[in-house]
Amino acid sequence: MFESLSDRLGGVFDRLRGRGALSEADVREAMREVRVALLEADVALPVARSFVDKVTEQAVGQQVIRSVTPGQQVVKIVHDGLVEMLGSDAVDLNLDVTPPAVVMMVGLQGSGKTTTTAKIAKRLTEKGRKKVMMASLDVARPAAQEQLRVLGEQTGVATLPIVVGQQPVDIARRALQAAKLQGFDVVMLDTAGRLHVDAQLMEEMKAVARVAEPDETLLVVDALTGQDAVNVARSFSDQVELSGVVLTRMDGDARGGAALSMRAVTGRPIKFVGVGEKLDALDTFDPRRVAGRILG
Ligand code: GDP
């Protein structure tokens, strides 16, 4: 579907063979192709621009290595730059606190937040051998609390009993209290999502954060929303201190550019990627794989 970056760069650099170093003019020409490749992979425009500037600086003046073509060399420089920016290693959840550790999930409705809450809870239960409780704070959408309860049954993860009419901050308090009393290691709070970022949602989320003092605040973003994802990330990270990002729907067509935008805008690591609807379809983030995917 997409022409790979190596192919695109082939033409640009063919005439460069046998020369000593990558000149500024040649690199700039190549970087136009890099920028198009990034935009096609859904990297947000300002992020693509600043990335290209940074990589240009690194590439200009580099000696052309004999064993590779200049095009391949630039692809490698770009690839390494992407990996560096995406974060070199998988970053785990920080749950090393006096229990219960609190994980707050935030994001827009439809991003996959509730499903991801259950996926992470399942993973922590099975692989981390933690005792996990989930609580839905979404009182705006009538079916939301029930959805999490059902997911709890499917995954064998405890959920906080639903009290109809209780408000999010009070539900959070009750969840924390119950978790303490019953010896849970981790409490996962699934906050309400709205179709668009709105002020009321943000106020509610901040009020919950003040009460719950989360150890992890994870922003869930749909990788398929591409250029829009960056606005979502900016709005949330302006309002609440995020500790990480989960990128969902990476099983779809998304080339993964949203990962780069998320990282650039929030400054926080991508901690997981969602790769399907099933409750074990959750991977840790592999910067190398995503960099390869962005470059096509
Ligand atoms: P929420 O409104 O943000 O809580 O979104 P939900 O968790 O209800 O998810 C919305 C839909 O997206 C559901 O049908 C999920 O099964 C689906 N979904 C969530 N994560 C993924 C993912 O990583 N890949 C795919 N293909 N679907 C996902």
Side-chain angles (χ1 to χ4, degrees), residues 16-49:
L16 242 183
R17 267 172 211 282
R19 276 208 243 153
L22 298 173
S23 78
E24 178 152 358
D26 292 322
V27 169
R28 288 213 179 275
E29 199 178 332
M31 286 304 153
R32 272 199 285 279
E33 298 293 332
V34 172
R35 200 165 75 117
V36 172
L38 293 178
L39 294 179
E40 279 181 2
D42 270 337
V43 176
L45 182 59
V47 177
R49 269 201 201 117

Side-chain angles (χ1 to χ4, degrees), residues 35 38-51 85 226-231 234 256-262 264-265:
R35 200 165 75 117
L38 293 178
L39 294 179
E40 279 181 2
D42 270 337
V43 176
L45 182 59
V47 177
R49 269 201 201 117
S50 72
F51 176 79
M85 195 160 162
Q227 301 282 333
D228 241 11
V230 81
N231 299 327
R234 192 166 289 129
L260 195 72
S261 307
M262 290 302 104
V265 169

Side-chain angles (χ1 to χ4, degrees), residues 1-9 33-34 36-43 75-76 78-79 82 86 253-257 287-296:
M1 187 166 56
F2 295 99
E3 193 187 7
S4 79
L5 184 62
S6 322
D7 293 342
R8 288 171 195 274
L9 290 181
E33 298 293 332
V34 172
V36 172
L38 293 178
L39 294 179
E40 279 181 2
D42 270 337
V43 176
V75 170
K76 176 158 189 340
V78 171
H79 182 272
L82 284 176
L86 288 168
D253 288 338
R255 298 262 311 275
R288 274 167 202 83
R289 207 164 65 204
V290 173
R293 193 161 157 169
I294 291 174
L295 292 181

Side-chain angles (χ1 to χ4, degrees), residues 198-210:
D198 73 43
Q200 197 194 336
L201 162 76
M202 290 299 178
E203 285 313 314
E204 183 183 294
M205 181 182 72
K206 287 196 285 192
V208 169
R210 279 194 295 273

